[in-house]
C-alpha cells in the first residue's frame, strides 16, 4: 500500500472505480455522510477556484453573459452535497440548479435550501432532457471528470445544457487529463463549433493529493 492509499483510502478507492453508474452509486451512497468531512480534510479547493474563474474571465466575443451577474441561471452538473452551491450562494449567486447521479448526495445538498431545482439519479452520460436543453447561462462541473467516473465524451452533454453565448467551467484532475482523451474530445468539439476555449488554469489547487486543470468555454 502506498502512503497516499494509507492516508486517504476512500479517495484512492474513488479514483479506482470502474466508471459504471452502478458502482459509482454504491460508492457515493456509502460515502455521502462522510463526504464533506473528508473533502475538508483534503483541502478541496475546486469551488473556490471556480468562483475565482467567474470573477476573472477575459472578455470574449462568443461569451454573451456576464459571469459576475448574480442572477445568471447556473447548472451545477454533478453537484454532490452542494459544496459549489454553498460557495456561490455565499457570494450572492441566487439562481442555482443541480443534479447528481447519487440520490444520497443530492439529499444532503437539498438540505442547504439553495437550489432552485435539484435532482438525483441523473446520469451525465445520458442525453439531456428536453426541458434542460440550451437553458443555462453557466454550467459548472467540478470533481466529475476524474479517474473512475465520467468519460471525456460527457463534455458534449454540458454543451447541450448551456445556451448560446453561455459559459461552461470544468475541472479535470491532472492525472485524468494525462490518461484520458479529454483534450482530443475538447478539441473536436471546438472544431465542430460547439465550444470555444476562452481561458484555463493549469496545475491549480484541487485537493492536497493532486492539482487540477480548470477549463472555461464559451458556447458559440
Amino acid at each position: 500500500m502506498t502512503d497516499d492509499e494509507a492516508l486517504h483510502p476512500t479517495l484512492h478507492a474513488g479514483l479506482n472505480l470502474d466508471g459504471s453508474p452502478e458502482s459509482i452509486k454504491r460508492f457515493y451512497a456509502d460515502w455521502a455522510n462522510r463526504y464533506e468531512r473528508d473533502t475538508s480534510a483534503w483541502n478541496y479547493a475546486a469551488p473556490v477556484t471556480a468562483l475565482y474563474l467567474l470573477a476573472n474571465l477575459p472578455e470574449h466575443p462568443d461569451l454573451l453573459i456576464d459571469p459576475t451577474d448574480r442572477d445568471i441561471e447556473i447548472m451545477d452538473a454533478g453537484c454532490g452535497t452542494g459544496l459549489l452551491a454553498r460557495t456561490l450562494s455565499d457570494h450572492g449567486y441566487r439562481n442555482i440548479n443541480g443534479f447528481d447521479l447519487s440520490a444520497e448526495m443530492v439529499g444532503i445538498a437539498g438540505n442547504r435550501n439553495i437550489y432552485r431545482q435539484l435532482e438525483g439519479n441523473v446520469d451525465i452520460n445520458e442525453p439531456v432532457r428536453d426541458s434542460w436543453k440550451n437553458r443555462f447561462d453557466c454550467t459548472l462541473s467540478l470533481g466529475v471528470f476524474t479517474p473512475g467516473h465520467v468519460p471525456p465524451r460527457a463534455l458534449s452533454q454540458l454543451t447541450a445544457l448551456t445556451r448560446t453565448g453561455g459559459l461552461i467551467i470544468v475541472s479535470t484532475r491532472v492525472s485524468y487529463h494525462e490518461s484520458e482523451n479529454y483534450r482530443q474530445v475538447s478539441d473536436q468539439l471546438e472544431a465542430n463549433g460547439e465550444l470555444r476555449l476562452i481561458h484555463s488554469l493549469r496545475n491549480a489547487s484541487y485537493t492536497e493529493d493532486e492539482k487540477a486543470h480548470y477549463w472555461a468555454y464559451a458556447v458559440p
Side-chain angles (χ1 to χ4, degrees):
M1 179 179 290
T2 66
D3 290 343
D4 185 64
E5 288 174 59
L7 184 62
H8 299 314
T10 302
L11 177 58
H12 177 76
L15 296 176
N16 286 276
L17 295 171
D18 64 7
S20 70
E22 295 76 16
S23 66
I24 294 170
K25 282 184 177 183
R26 287 193 299 270
F27 178 78
Y28 282 96
D30 178 67
W31 192 21
N33 288 327
R34 307 187 313 278
Y35 179 82
E36 293 189 21
R37 181 197 68 192
D38 289 349
T39 53
S40 176
W42 303 336
N43 297 315
Y44 179 56
V48 173
T49 306
L51 182 70
Y52 171 84
L53 275 172
L54 288 174
N56 292 280
L57 285 174
E59 292 186 6
H60 192 279
D62 288 323
L63 185 62
L64 303 181
I65 67 159
D66 176 2
T68 66
D69 179 357
R70 270 45 179 181
D71 288 318
I72 58 173
E73 189 167 17
I74 293 171
M75 174 55 85
D76 183 1
C79 63
T81 61
L83 296 178
L84 172 61
R86 181 183 68 187
T87 299
L88 294 174
S89 179
D90 286 347
H91 288 81
Y93 287 91
R94 293 176 280 271
N95 194 1
I96 307 169
N97 308 275
F99 70 80
D100 199 274
L101 183 63
S102 170
E104 289 80 8
M105 300 281 275
V106 163
I108 295 171
N111 291 333
R112 298 185 185 280
N113 296 314
I114 291 173
Y115 291 94
R116 295 284 185 89
Q117 183 179 4
L118 180 63
E119 294 195 30
N121 294 307
V122 177
D123 187 347
I124 199 172
N125 296 294
E126 297 296 324
V128 170
R129 63 185 61 179
D130 289 343
S131 62
W132 285 356
K133 284 182 179 177
N134 310 120
R135 170 179 159 185
F136 300 98
D137 298 306
C138 179
T139 300
L140 299 105
S141 191
L142 308 180
V144 174
F145 290 81
T146 195
H149 286 64
V150 170
R153 65 176 180 273
L155 182 60
S156 64
Q157 303 303 335
L158 304 186
T159 68
L161 288 164
T162 312
R163 74 174 183 86
T164 300
L167 173 69
I168 297 170
I169 292 177
V170 176
S171 70
T172 61
R173 275 181 174 265
V174 171
S175 58
Y176 178 91
H177 189 259
E178 291 175 349
S179 63
E180 301 286 343
N181 66 331
Y182 179 88
R183 194 56 192 264
Q184 291 93 327
V185 170
S186 173
D187 287 349
Q188 187 60 56
L189 289 170
E190 283 206 75
N192 294 345
E194 299 177 53
L195 286 179
R196 190 81 66 233
L197 182 64
I198 61 173
H199 194 53
S200 64
L201 294 176
R202 312 293 180 96
N203 299 302
S205 295
Y206 186 69
T207 61
E208 66 178 30
D209 73 299
E210 190 176 1
K211 302 291 188 181
H213 305 317
Y214 295 82
W215 313 95
Y217 305 93
V219 177

